[in-house]
Amino acid sequence: MRIGVVNQTASVGGWRYLGMLLDGIKQISPNIEITLYVNSFETSEELISLERRGLRVKKIKYGLSGSFLHFHSRIFFGRAFIDKPLNFLRKLVFKYRNRKALAERLSLSKEFDDMDVIFYSWPYGIDPVETKAQIFYIPHDFIVSHGFGLDGVGFYYRDFWKATKENLQKFVNRNARPIVSSNFIKDEYRRVFPMANHLPKVIYLAKFNNYKRIESDLVKDKLRDIGVIGDYVLFANNNMPHKNLAQAIGAMYYVKQKYPDLKLIVSGLGNNNICGVVHSPFYMDHCDENDNWDVKGLELVSNDTFAALLQGAKVVLNCSLCEAGAGSALDAWSMGTPVVLSKIPAFEEQVKFLGTEAVFVDPRNSKDIALGILKIIDNPSLASSMALKSREAMGNYGWGEVAEQYLDAFEEAINENRD
């Protein structure tokens, strides 16, 4: 089987998922030919690691982005004498890049025809290339199709969703086959694209890492290097509205009534400027990092540092309002750290399938979130039992099993097309 994987860019989680999946495929079928197509500017840690492990990587300069295939004038300053020359320059750049993109896409189309499967693992900001190969893609989730009351009455997500739906519709029109990570997302897909020819294939994900537990002194050293000292709850998410950081901060107000020195560490994209003191369940007060803070944000950290954050946490908290699955819980379970999760459909489904354990809470109720955190911290034996059972359960389902299901889906589509 010859597989072309298109991942022009992705989130950190997206790259980690892809790295684990490709490793899993190679482990169970080492003779499969895989070519990874990425944008020339991509420099993620996972991509570098894949290249070092011998994966064939082809970098594309223009042809992977759908954004070059249309042009709209922009008003920059509201003054014609400035806007007109700027837009003229933009049109020249557009024409140049568009010619390059079309030529490169034509070359890709011919190259893709020699593949059995083209798999778009991050299908956003990209137009699927016309090909005779079977096309698969990951629509991931439909978070931005919802409003959560935390994003300007849905304005940002509404506009984002319009572009995202138009983007995904191109894959539906190409008769591409979707793969999703929960039945919840399968239902979301059917809601949005009821007329699609192919229903999503549900394949649950395994842990996103190969982290190993290290000695506690080394954990403390790594945490000290990033300014984390003492006990903390880890909130490993970006700062988008559905991640529900506001309620996590509110929960810390109640937790701190009993454990005043406990901190909340917020790790993920866009969180580096977060630093505050919690004196209210409704908000935090901004402060300087040199102050005695209660909540601290960290920008994206290295895999080694993140492994230390997971291992050193008293609790990993994910109180999202809507998700395809709990990536931070997968990480925590595999490291033997207890987890508090929102009682939302995808999380409950994930726990049931994997056989892991978590304390479920109402994500719209900061007191309930606090009670979930306290249930673990107040009961060390319960915390240890949950962590041990979850870690053992994660050992029963790995990327070999995930990869086998992907290859079965690919093979089924190839055979259908051949018939």
Side-chain angles (χ1 to χ4, degrees):
M1 187 186 299
R2 290 161 298 177
I3 304 173
V5 179
V6 181
N7 198 65
Q8 82 285 6
T9 188
S11 68
V12 173
W15 271 112
R16 289 171 63 201
Y17 145 81
L18 183 60
M20 300 299 288
L21 175 62
L22 296 183
D23 279 347
I25 290 175
K26 278 297 187 180
Q27 286 173 13
I28 64 174
S29 298
N31 294 326
I32 284 182
E33 297 178 22
I34 301 176
T35 302
L36 175 61
Y37 297 86
V38 300
N39 270 329
S40 57
F41 56 78
E42 184 59 59
T43 58
S44 75
E45 187 176 351
E46 282 71 21
L47 173 59
I48 294 171
S49 178
L50 285 169
E51 288 182 293
R52 287 174 178 167
R53 298 199 295 276
L55 184 73
R56 183 177 179 229
V57 176
K58 185 168 184 178
K59 296 197 174 183
I60 307 300
K61 193 169 185 180
Y62 300 105
L64 291 182
S65 177
S67 62
F68 297 140
L69 304 181
H70 57 81
F71 173 83
H72 298 288
S73 295
R74 294 180 181 177
I75 302 300
F76 289 90
F77 302 101
R79 297 180 181 180
F81 71 91
I82 295 178
D83 290 333
K84 284 185 177 180
L86 281 176
N87 282 325
F88 175 75
L89 290 173
R90 287 184 65 247
K91 285 181 181 180
L92 290 179
V93 172
F94 160 76
K95 289 179 180 179
Y96 171 77
R97 296 189 74 118
N98 196 41
R99 284 198 300 270
K100 292 285 188 179
L102 290 174
E104 204 164 43
R105 287 172 67 83
L106 180 60
S107 175
L108 283 174
S109 181
K110 294 178 180 178
E111 190 169 329
F112 285 2
D113 282 345
D114 292 330
M115 302 281 185
D116 296 301
V117 169
I118 300 299
F119 172 48
Y120 291 85
S121 56
W122 191 266
Y124 299 110
I126 188 170
D127 294 336
V129 176
E130 185 173 355
T131 178
K132 298 175 183 176
Q134 296 301 300
I135 301 175
F136 285 79
Y137 72 114
I138 307 292
H140 290 282
D141 53 48
F142 294 88
I143 302 302
V144 294
S145 71
H146 306 295
F148 299 93
L150 302 171
D151 50 354
V153 198
F155 178 79
Y156 169 67
Y157 276 3
R158 186 183 65 201
D159 286 358
F160 194 0
W161 171 237
K162 181 180 179 181
T164 299
K165 185 178 180 182
E166 290 175 354
N167 195 162
L168 294 177
Q169 185 67 56
K170 296 173 183 177
F171 285 85
V172 174
N173 295 344
R174 287 275 187 214
N175 211 30
R177 299 167 186 261
I179 296 176
V180 298
S181 59
S182 65
N183 282 297
F184 171 72
I185 296 302
K186 179 179 180 179
D187 292 341
E188 288 273 87
Y189 186 92
R190 295 173 67 183
R191 171 179 64 86
V192 175
F193 300 114
M195 304 303 292
N197 289 333
H198 298 292
L199 285 175
K201 172 81 171 177
V202 177
I203 302 177
Y204 293 97
L205 302 182
K207 63 181 182 179
F208 277 26
N209 62 71
N210 286 315
Y211 301 152
K212 305 294 184 184
R213 290 184 66 87
I214 60 176
E215 294 180 7
S216 58
D217 287 343
L218 292 177
V219 171
K220 290 179 181 178
D221 289 342
K222 285 186 174 294
L223 296 179
R224 190 179 296 110
D225 289 342
I226 56 174
V228 177
I229 299 172
D231 293 337
Y232 60 91
V233 174
L234 179 61
F235 181 95
N237 276 315
N238 61 48
N239 63 359
M240 295 184 77
H242 67 278
K243 300 298 185 181
N244 203 27
L245 176 58
Q247 295 291 357
I249 292 172
M252 289 305 294
Y253 170 79
Y254 300 107
V255 173
K256 286 176 65 62
Q257 306 304 306
K258 189 168 186 179
Y259 297 98
D261 294 328
L262 190 70
K263 310 295 185 182
L264 177 66
I265 301 299
V266 184
S267 173
L269 183 65
N271 294 324
N272 56 306
N273 289 322
I274 296 174
C275 193
V277 180
V278 178
H279 294 306
S280 166
F282 310 119
Y283 49 79
M284 71 177 185
D285 301 322
H286 296 305
C287 71
D288 188 80
E289 289 189 7
N290 295 323
D291 298 327
N292 186 24
W293 48 267
D294 297 317
V295 181
K296 180 178 180 177
L298 303 173
E299 189 54 272
L300 294 174
V301 297
S302 68
N303 286 335
D304 288 344
T305 300
F306 187 60
L309 278 170
L310 286 167
Q311 185 175 329
K314 302 292 286 184
V315 178
V316 169
L317 169 65
N318 191 327
C319 56
S320 289
L321 300 170
C322 184
E323 295 283 3
S328 60
L330 293 172
D331 290 332
W333 287 324
S334 65
M335 289 292 285
T337 303
V339 173
V340 172
L341 289 179
S342 300
K343 191 175 176 60
I344 58 176
F347 288 180
E348 292 181 294
E349 181 182 340
Q350 188 177 32
V351 167
K352 182 177 180 180
F353 174 81
L354 293 171
T356 51
E357 294 192 357
V359 174
F360 285 104
V361 295
D362 177 359
R364 287 293 195 184
N365 187 330
S366 59
K367 284 186 178 180
D368 199 48
I369 296 171
L371 289 173
I373 295 171
L374 291 172
K375 182 175 182 179
I376 289 176
I377 296 178
D378 286 342
N379 298 278
S381 59
L382 173 65
S384 296
S385 174
M386 291 176 61
L388 178 61
K389 289 180 180 178
S390 296
R391 193 177 182 197
E392 290 175 348
M394 291 299 294
N396 297 327
Y397 184 72
W399 283 96
E401 287 83 2
V402 176
E404 188 171 3
Q405 294 174 77
Y406 271 79
L407 292 177
D408 286 346
F410 295 164
E411 192 68 45
E412 182 180 347
I414 293 169
N415 290 336
E416 285 182 9
N417 185 58
R418 187 181 294 124
D419 293 340

